[in-house]
């Protein structure tokens, strides 16, 4: 017997290929799938309806998809607030190099809780700091996501270029080439689920050109393709990175990535702020994806990514929170607004992005980037039931006639309900399967413990 949930009387933005919207409509969830949706009221003859939700005053959208994050940074928020990327990394790597399993679990809970409360149904974490003797960090992160009920991709990161090799991380904070590859393969073998309704997937994710060797990049790409998983890294984030690549490799970041096998439809990169026309053409030609992180890019003064040009060229683009040491709010729904506003400061001005393009970045665009566009990212029959009910009839939004405009241009909208895989994880802005107050206490305690350890050197 398949149990059904019927949601009625809501505005609906499906974010399907036609951008279908309903001023007043319904969604029927059957098990973990969207069974049907449309204008008006749900079919009267439905069997096994266990719940009916009157969503008057709400907009239903696909769940938000986060495409770039560093959960562990939740316990180092508010530090190095006036630094550019390289100076920020130099200031914080010695702190991050002291993390352990208990800290990482608490930080993952904090990061996930903040996103889930704000409409994220699919999260990802790019974790690349594995100090010796720090415990099972990947297992702690995956366990936190499972407990929260969020769909999740762990990008198992790595670094093997430390200060002695011209990189930025301290020598004791990196892995060996062989150790990183072996641990990554083990993580894929233990945790990756390739099925349609997978709740946990793994990607291969060496950190960045300035913290990994060419060998780790190229062999990481070979490993990912042998195992049939996706690839993720940071790319073209700052002018300093571009200079670094030219000095060290004799070419810009995009050409360097192509030389190591790191362009392709199974690859997505974070930031991509400093891209010229040929870089964008290369990403479009290879269908390499981009995780656009507008708040972090602004926080670190990295620049404005050419998102309108990427979209026009056919580059898959999603949104990312980025680590909360460079985006202290840790919320993806505010990135819809920030992506739109920041891109309008660029060359395209008011034509850069509109509200519906911003919503698409945060939903279907993210699903594309994570390789899951068949399963999530839009509301269509047969897709997984990952969806959000945003309340738009309160003081903050009630006088804005168009619900998508209200969601994107307006204040952060309250989440009345969020469903992942057909299971509700948020009700009236509160998590149903986690204690937010307990998480707040543990993240504060672990942040203080890390600060004490780092201060001792």
């Amino acid at each position: 017997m398949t149990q059904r949930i019927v949601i009625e009387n809501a505005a609906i933005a499906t974010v399907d290929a036609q951008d279908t919207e309903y001023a007043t409509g319904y969604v029927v969830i059957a098990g973990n799938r969207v069974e049907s949706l449309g204008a008006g009221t749900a079919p009267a003859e439905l069997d096994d309806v266990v719940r009916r939700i009157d969503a008057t005053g709400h907009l239903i959208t696909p769940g938000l998809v986060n495409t770039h994050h560093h959960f562990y940074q939740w316990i180092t928020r508010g530090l190095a607030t006036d630094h550019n990327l390289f100076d920020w990394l130099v200031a914080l790597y010695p702190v991050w190099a002291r993390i352990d399993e208990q800290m990482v679990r608490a930080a993952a809970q904090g990061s996930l809780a903040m996103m889930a409360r704000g409409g994220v149904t699919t999260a990802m974490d790019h974790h690349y700091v594995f100090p010796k003797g720090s415990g099972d960090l990947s297992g702690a992160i995956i366990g936190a996501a499972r407990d929260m009920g969020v769909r999740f991709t762990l990008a198992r990161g790595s670094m093997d270029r430390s200060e002695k090799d011209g990189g930025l991380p301290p020598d004791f904070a990196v892995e060996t080439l062989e150790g990183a590859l072996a641990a990554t393969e083990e993580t894929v073998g233990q945790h990756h689920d390739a099925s349609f309704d997978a709740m946990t997937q793994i990607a291969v994710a060496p950190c960045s050109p300035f913290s990994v060797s060419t060998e780790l990049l190229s062999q990481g790409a070979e490993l990912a393709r042998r195992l049939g998983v996706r690839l993720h890294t940071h790319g073209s984030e700052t002018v300093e990175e571009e200079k670094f690549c030219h000095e060290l490799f004799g070419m810009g970041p995009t050409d360097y990535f192509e030389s190591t096998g790191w362009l392709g439809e199974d690859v997505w990169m974070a930031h991509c702020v400093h891209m010229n026309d040929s870089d964008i053409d290369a990403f479009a030609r290879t269908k390499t994806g981009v995780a656009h992180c507008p708040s972090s890019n602004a926080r670190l003064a990295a620049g404005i990514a050419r998102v309108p040009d990427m979209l026009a060229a056919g580059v898959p683009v999603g949104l990312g929170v980025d680590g909360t040491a460079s985006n202290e709010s840790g919320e993806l729904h505010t990135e819809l607004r920030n992506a739109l506003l920041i891109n309008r400061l660029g060359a395209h001005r008011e034509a850069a992005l509109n509200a519906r393009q911003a919503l698409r970045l945060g939903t279907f665009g993210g699903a594309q980037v994570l390789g899951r566009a068949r399963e999530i990212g839009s509301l269509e029959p047969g897709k997984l039931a990952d969806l959000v009910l945003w309340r738009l009839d309160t003081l903050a939004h009630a006088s804005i006639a168009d619900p998508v405009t209200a969601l994107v241009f307006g204040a952060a909208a309250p989440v009345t309900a969020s469903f992942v895989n057909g299971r509700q994880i948020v009700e009236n802005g509160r998590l149903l399967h986690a204690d937010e107050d307990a998480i707040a206490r543990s993240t504060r305690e672990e942040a203080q413990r890390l600060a004490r350890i780092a201060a001792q050197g």
Side-chain angles (χ1 to χ4, degrees):
M1 181 180 73
T2 301
Q3 296 187 331
R4 290 177 171 83
I5 299 171
V6 178
I7 309 169
E8 294 182 289
N9 304 319
I12 302 172
T14 68
V15 200
D16 65 9
Q18 293 75 40
D19 266 330
T20 306
E21 296 182 14
Y22 303 105
T24 305
Y26 68 91
V27 177
V28 178
I29 298 172
N32 71 341
R33 306 291 177 98
V34 175
E35 183 177 62
S36 63
L37 72 166
T41 56
E45 66 278 4
L46 290 172
D47 296 327
D48 301 317
V49 176
V50 295
R51 187 178 175 197
R52 288 185 179 271
I53 299 172
D54 180 359
T56 301
H58 289 75
L59 170 67
I60 301 176
T61 72
L64 300 184
V65 178
N66 184 37
T67 61
H68 186 65
H69 210 315
H70 309 295
F71 290 176
Y72 73 90
Q73 292 181 13
W74 189 263
I75 57 174
T76 60
R77 294 193 294 166
L79 305 177
T81 54
D82 302 313
H83 293 48
N84 66 28
L85 175 68
F86 275 28
D87 292 342
W88 176 83
L89 289 171
V90 169
L92 289 174
Y93 267 137
V95 180
W96 296 336
R98 270 78 178 184
I99 59 174
D100 60 27
E101 184 176 336
Q102 185 173 314
M103 293 175 189
V104 167
R105 178 177 293 279
Q109 290 172 333
S111 297
L112 287 159
M114 202 67 190
M115 285 189 294
R117 287 193 340 164
V120 168
T121 55
T122 297
M124 73 79 64
D125 183 31
H126 184 193
H127 187 89
Y128 54 84
V129 183
F130 291 89
K132 293 179 180 64
S134 55
D136 182 9
L137 305 189
S138 294
I141 297 163
I142 290 166
R146 181 179 59 244
D147 293 346
M148 198 76 62
V150 173
R151 202 176 300 282
F152 182 57
T153 294
L154 174 67
R156 203 290 180 184
S158 51
M159 300 186 293
D160 69 340
R161 184 194 295 276
S162 65
E163 288 174 326
K164 67 177 170 48
D165 302 313
L168 296 178
D171 296 340
F172 63 88
V174 303
E175 299 174 280
T176 64
L177 168 66
E178 297 77 15
L181 292 169
T184 301
E185 182 165 6
E186 182 181 2
T187 303
V188 174
Q190 285 183 344
H191 298 291
H192 181 69
D193 181 355
S195 67
F196 184 89
D197 55 359
M199 291 296 290
T200 304
Q201 296 197 331
I202 309 297
V204 175
C207 182
S208 66
F210 49 84
S211 60
V212 307
S213 64
T214 300
E215 293 75 21
L216 183 51
L217 272 181
S218 58
Q219 292 181 41
E222 293 167 4
L223 174 66
R225 289 174 178 131
R226 174 166 62 82
L227 299 177
V229 298
R230 297 181 76 74
L231 300 88
H232 181 58
T233 192
H234 297 87
S236 301
E237 186 173 359
T238 65
V239 291
E240 291 86 2
E241 179 190 333
E242 187 167 12
K243 181 181 177 185
F244 179 93
C245 287
H246 276 288
E247 289 177 352
L248 211 61
F249 312 121
M251 63 186 94
T254 299
D255 290 337
Y256 176 60
F257 282 128
E258 188 154 34
S259 76
T260 55
W262 271 78
L263 295 185
E265 61 183 359
D266 55 354
V267 179
W268 85 104
M269 296 191 199
H271 303 296
C272 299
V273 175
H274 296 279
M275 303 266 282
N276 60 32
D277 290 348
S278 65
D279 296 331
I280 292 175
D281 289 344
F283 272 56
R285 167 173 49 82
T286 58
K287 297 301 179 189
T288 303
V290 171
H292 176 46
C293 306
S295 293
S296 176
N297 294 343
R299 157 75 150 84
L300 296 172
I304 302 171
R306 295 173 58 187
V307 172
D309 296 327
M310 294 178 195
L311 294 175
V315 176
V317 182
L319 290 181
V321 168
D322 203 7
T324 50
S326 66
N327 177 8
E328 275 73 6
S329 75
E331 298 176 296
L332 191 68
H333 58 323
T334 58
E335 298 302 296
L336 302 175
R337 185 173 192 260
N338 291 344
L340 184 146
L341 296 180
I342 289 175
N343 279 280
R344 288 190 177 188
L345 295 174
H348 295 274
R349 300 180 64 183
E350 69 276 6
L353 289 176
N354 61 39
R356 283 161 177 80
Q357 288 173 307
L359 177 60
R360 180 170 288 274
L361 288 176
T363 53
F364 189 79
Q368 280 185 297
V369 162
L370 295 184
R372 305 206 64 177
R374 289 188 312 116
E375 304 111 273
I376 60 174
S378 59
L379 298 178
E380 302 178 66
K383 280 200 161 185
L384 296 170
D386 294 7
L387 55 91
V388 180
L389 279 67
W390 307 93
R391 187 171 181 186
L392 299 177
D393 62 355
T394 68
L395 174 64
H397 304 90
S399 59
I400 304 175
D402 174 55
V404 176
T405 295
L407 178 66
V408 174
F409 278 84
V415 173
T416 293
S418 183
F419 291 84
V420 181
N421 220 42
R423 176 180 183 237
Q424 189 171 351
I425 65 166
V426 175
E427 183 165 17
N428 295 322
R430 297 289 290 183
L431 299 170
L432 290 176
H433 310 296
D435 184 336
E436 295 177 29
D437 297 331
I439 292 172
R441 285 193 300 273
S442 69
T443 56
R444 183 173 182 82
E445 289 166 1
E446 294 305 316
Q448 291 171 340
R449 184 165 72 89
L450 176 57
R452 287 195 301 271
I453 293 171
Q456 293 165 3

